[in-house]
């Protein structure tokens, strides 16, 4: 009998996994798996469990927000390439950006079925200074919103929590002085926000990362937003972000497999919506098709 390790975060989103747990486990067993269940015990617990034990299973399925998936993927990346197993994902967070990018079906039972009966998709993984991320590494104003918004607010308000916190932050926009090396060119600027992504959605908003986004092409989408000098420029930036039409020189965007950013001061970063540390130098590269994730169609 095939073996499945099911890791879930009981506190993600509104704790909806609790009402679906028995049904999910029954589905796994009916699919021919012997299942071991592991509720996460602390931050990074999922990463450690996967890094140490994934080789004993035929499939690892996780349920939680994008942060839980990040931990599972990071744990899998710590294993030798030939020892990595496929990952199923049952989203249960407040935003679930990467689930939208993977075009996973809506509803936990449907995604549970995809996890055991779907197709294997070889997905790119980001590497930032030796730490892994699934879909975004970012700095600046909106990143503070992401990991600064309390879980209680996320549960109650969903996407509105990000908007409310963002609106409060706009009154005191801070900038980061950055030297950027990318695609054979280098330049400097004062940026209020920057993101390196492998996703079609960020913060629940589709289209922010650009067009023709592929999750397995070995390329990131890069977006760097310069500091506005007046309210008119700020309005121009917000218009471009909300409409998805990049027609301003205030936003630098490109595709790349590698980027280096340096700053004279420590800059806080976020990785997949969680705090990623303070850095004066960041080197990010794309590890193409590094993990297999179960999806409906390849």
């Amino acid at each position: 009998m095939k073996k499945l390790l099911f890791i879930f975060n009981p506190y993600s989103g509104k704790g909806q996994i609790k009402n679906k747990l028995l049904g999910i486990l029954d589905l796994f067993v009916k699919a021919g798996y012997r299942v071991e269940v592991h509720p996460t015990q602390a931050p990074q617990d999922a990463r450690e469990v996967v890094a140490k034990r994934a080789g004993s299973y035929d499939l690892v399925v996780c349920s939680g927000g994008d942060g839980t998936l990040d931990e599972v993927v990071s744990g899998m990346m710590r294993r030798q390439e030939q020892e990595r197993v496929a990952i199923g994902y049952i989203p249960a967070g407040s935003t679930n950006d990467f689930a939208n990018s993977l075009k996973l079906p809506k509803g936990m039972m449907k995604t549970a079925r995809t996890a055991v009966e779907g197709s294997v998709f070889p997905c790119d993984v980001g590497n930032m200074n030796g730490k892994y991320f699934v879909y975004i590494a970012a700095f600046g104003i909106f990143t503070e919103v992401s990991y600064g918004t309390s879980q209680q607010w996320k549960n109650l308000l969903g996407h509105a929590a990000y908007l409310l916190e963002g609106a409060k932050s706009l009154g005191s926009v801070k900038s980061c002085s950055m030297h950027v090396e990318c695609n054979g060119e280098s330049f400097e600027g004062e940026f209020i926000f920057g993101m390196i992504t492998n996703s079609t959605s960020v913060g629940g908003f589709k289209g922010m990362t650009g067009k023709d986004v592929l999750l397995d092409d070995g390329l990131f989408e890069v977006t760097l937003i310069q500091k506005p000098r007046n309210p008119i420029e700020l309005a121009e930036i917000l218009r471009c972000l909300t409409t998805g039409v990049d027609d301003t020189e205030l936003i630098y965007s490109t595709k790349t497999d590698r980027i280096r950013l340096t700053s004279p001061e420590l800059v806080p970063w976020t990785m997949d919506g969680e705090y990623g540390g303070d850095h004066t130098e960041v080197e990010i590269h794309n590890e193409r098709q590094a993990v297999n994730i179960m999806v409906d169609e390849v």
Side-chain angles (χ1 to χ4, degrees), residues 127-130 258-261 281-285:
N127 184 320
M128 186 180 94
N129 290 358
R258 184 178 298 268
I259 186 170
R260 185 171 179 265
L261 304 102
E281 180 176 334
V282 161
E283 185 160 338
I284 298 172
H285 68 270

Side-chain angles (χ1 to χ4, degrees), residues 194-265:
M195 62 180 179
I196 295 86
T197 60
N198 190 45
S199 176
T200 61
S201 171
V202 171
F205 299 98
K206 295 184 178 180
M208 279 186 66
T209 60
K211 299 178 180 179
D212 304 319
V213 176
L214 298 175
L215 308 184
D216 61 348
D217 61 354
L219 296 174
F220 294 121
E221 283 66 44
V222 177
T223 303
L224 300 173
I225 301 177
Q226 295 187 43
K227 181 178 181 179
R229 293 168 293 185
N230 52 59
I232 295 176
E233 289 189 348
L234 178 58
E236 183 178 340
I237 290 169
L238 293 175
R239 174 184 58 79
C240 291
L241 291 177
T242 53
T243 63
V245 178
D246 183 5
D247 58 0
T248 174
E249 295 183 354
L250 295 168
I251 299 178
Y252 170 84
S253 59
T254 189
K255 292 177 182 284
T256 188
D257 63 347
R258 184 178 298 268
I259 186 170
R260 185 171 179 265
L261 304 102
T262 56
S263 175
E265 298 181 354

Side-chain angles (χ1 to χ4, degrees), residues 91-106:
S94 54
T95 303
N96 304 316
D97 281 313
F98 202 62
N100 294 329
S101 298
L102 292 169
K103 299 180 181 178
L104 293 179
K106 303 297 183 181

